[in-house]
Amino acid sequence: MAKQKSILVKLMSQAGTGYFYLTRKNPRRTPEKFTFRKYDPVVKQHVLFTETKKFK
């Protein structure tokens, strides 16, 4: 059986609210950490989300 090419990644809000998104990432194609500007409903603003923890 082949190994999965993409991994689950947790994008954590930099506003300190604890809100996060889960997304998939191919680590061979993009080895650097993800950073996105996404909506955080707790503070009701777009804030910076960065990759913090990888899931299996």
Side-chain angles (χ1 to χ4, degrees):
M1 190 167 187
K3 190 175 180 181
Q4 215 176 15
K5 292 182 182 175
S6 63
I7 57 172
L8 261 179
V9 172
K10 186 176 186 180
L11 299 174
M12 190 65 121
S13 172
Q14 292 299 303
T17 59
Y19 192 79
F20 64 91
Y21 287 98
L22 292 179
T23 187
R24 290 200 174 272
K25 162 185 168 172
N26 184 344
R28 292 180 188 154
R29 181 179 282 175
T30 55
E32 64 274 354
K33 288 193 172 190
F34 275 162
T35 56
F36 292 110
R37 194 160 180 264
K38 294 177 77 70
Y39 184 74
D40 188 344
V42 179
V43 292
K44 299 178 184 171
Q45 291 181 6
H46 281 81
V47 295
L48 193 66
F49 281 78
T50 56
E51 176 184 337
T52 57
K53 193 181 207 181
K54 297 176 182 169
F55 292 103
K56 290 185 179 185

